[in-house]
């Protein structure tokens, strides 16, 4: 089995580590030129801020509610490295996929869910970064499980019965399926991951 450990709203969470007064506030982190939103806290998402949305397109009355930060990639890279160090202490193999995502394996680990919960707790305690863990038999299934985990209070989901757990999972949320593929699949009646 493969796990995907993903830092929630990673850049916004990194900003909150060093400015705890931002917790619970709508935080947006902007791209290199401060033009587009590249990270949004859940509170900013609730205000309708989209990924990659140019900040000048956000209505002024909403923009005034946001806490906007310029990206600090040195800080984000440092915290990412700390998260990966924790994962390397807990899992037999770690494959860094991106600054906020790593695949892990469970060889020799009897209780995958307990190991995933321990990883989440340790990462939060030692770095301040909240994360979720998705577990599946493939990387694609672990990515799907991670997306499902973000909707749970415990933040860990293992896909053991893909047919049942993915029956309502939109095909366009699958890793590697973009808008064009989703439209083509939808035209053929393929709307969910199970389809």
């Amino acid at each position: 089995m493969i796990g995907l450990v993903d830092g929630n709203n990673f850049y916004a969470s990194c900003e909150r580590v060093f400015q705890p007064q931002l917790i619970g506030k709508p935080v947006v982190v902007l791209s290199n030129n401060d033009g587009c939103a590249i990270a949004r806290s859940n509170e900013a998402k609730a205000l309708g801020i989209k990924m990659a949305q140019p900040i000048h397109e956000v209505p002024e009355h909403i923009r005034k509610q946001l806490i906007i930060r310029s990206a600090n990639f040195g800080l984000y890279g440092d915290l990412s490295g700390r998260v990966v160090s924790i994962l390397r202490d807990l899992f037999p193999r770690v494959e860094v996929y991106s600054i906020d995502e790593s695949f892990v394996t469970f060889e020799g680990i009897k209780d995958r869910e307990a190991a995933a919960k321990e990883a989440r707790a340790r990462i939060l305690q030692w770095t301040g970064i909240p994360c979720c863990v998705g577990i599946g038999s493939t990387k694609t299934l672990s990515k799907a499980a991670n997306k499902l985990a973000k909707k749970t209070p415990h933040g860990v989901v293992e896909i053991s019965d893909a047919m049942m757990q993915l029956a309502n999972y939109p095909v366009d949320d699958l890793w590697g399926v973009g808008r064009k593929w989703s439209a083509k699949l939808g035209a053929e009646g393929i709307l969910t991951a199970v389809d």
Side-chain angles (χ1 to χ4, degrees), residues 8-194:
N8 299 343
N9 310 316
F10 188 69
Y11 296 166
S13 293
C14 290
E15 293 291 337
R16 288 173 166 175
V17 168
F18 290 94
Q19 293 182 313
Q21 68 273 21
L22 300 181
I23 295 171
K25 305 260 173 38
V27 177
V28 173
V29 177
L30 300 179
S31 56
N32 279 337
N33 62 359
D34 285 345
C36 299
I38 58 171
R40 305 147 301 141
S41 67
N42 289 335
E43 297 81 4
K45 291 175 188 177
L47 288 173
I49 307 302
K50 306 287 184 233
M51 181 59 108
Q53 181 176 10
I55 197 66
H56 72 272
E57 290 181 2
V58 175
E60 187 176 348
H61 72 282
I62 293 181
R63 204 167 45 236
K64 286 181 178 180
Q65 298 176 59
L66 301 175
I67 296 169
I68 299 172
R69 294 289 184 259
S70 296
N72 182 344
F73 295 112
L75 171 68
Y76 310 151
D78 181 70
L79 283 168
S80 175
R82 293 176 191 202
V83 169
V84 170
S85 291
I86 293 167
L87 295 176
R88 288 195 170 125
D89 283 344
L90 294 170
F91 297 99
R93 285 188 298 165
V94 177
E95 177 188 337
V96 177
Y97 178 65
S98 67
I99 195 165
D100 64 335
E101 295 177 290
S102 292
F103 290 104
V104 298
T105 60
F106 293 91
E107 293 98 1
I109 297 174
K110 292 181 181 179
D111 189 339
R112 292 184 293 268
E113 185 175 338
K117 286 180 178 178
E118 170 64 21
R120 286 187 76 235
R122 196 177 292 188
I123 290 166
L124 184 61
Q125 182 178 9
W126 292 5
T127 69
I129 303 295
C131 66
C132 289
V133 182
I135 305 168
S137 57
T138 67
K139 288 180 179 178
T140 301
L141 287 174
S142 68
K143 289 269 285 184
N146 189 280
K147 187 154 188 157
L148 295 171
K150 291 184 186 304
K151 298 175 183 175
T152 68
H154 49 81
V156 175
V157 167
E158 179 173 338
I159 291 183
S160 53
D161 181 358
M163 293 300 284
M164 188 170 90
Q165 289 172 285
L166 298 178
N168 295 316
Y169 194 95
V171 72
D172 58 337
D173 281 352
L174 282 171
W175 187 27
V177 177
R179 280 181 292 147
K180 289 183 180 180
W181 272 108
S182 179
K184 287 178 186 179
L185 293 169
E188 295 183 29
I190 300 171
L191 304 174
T192 69
V194 170

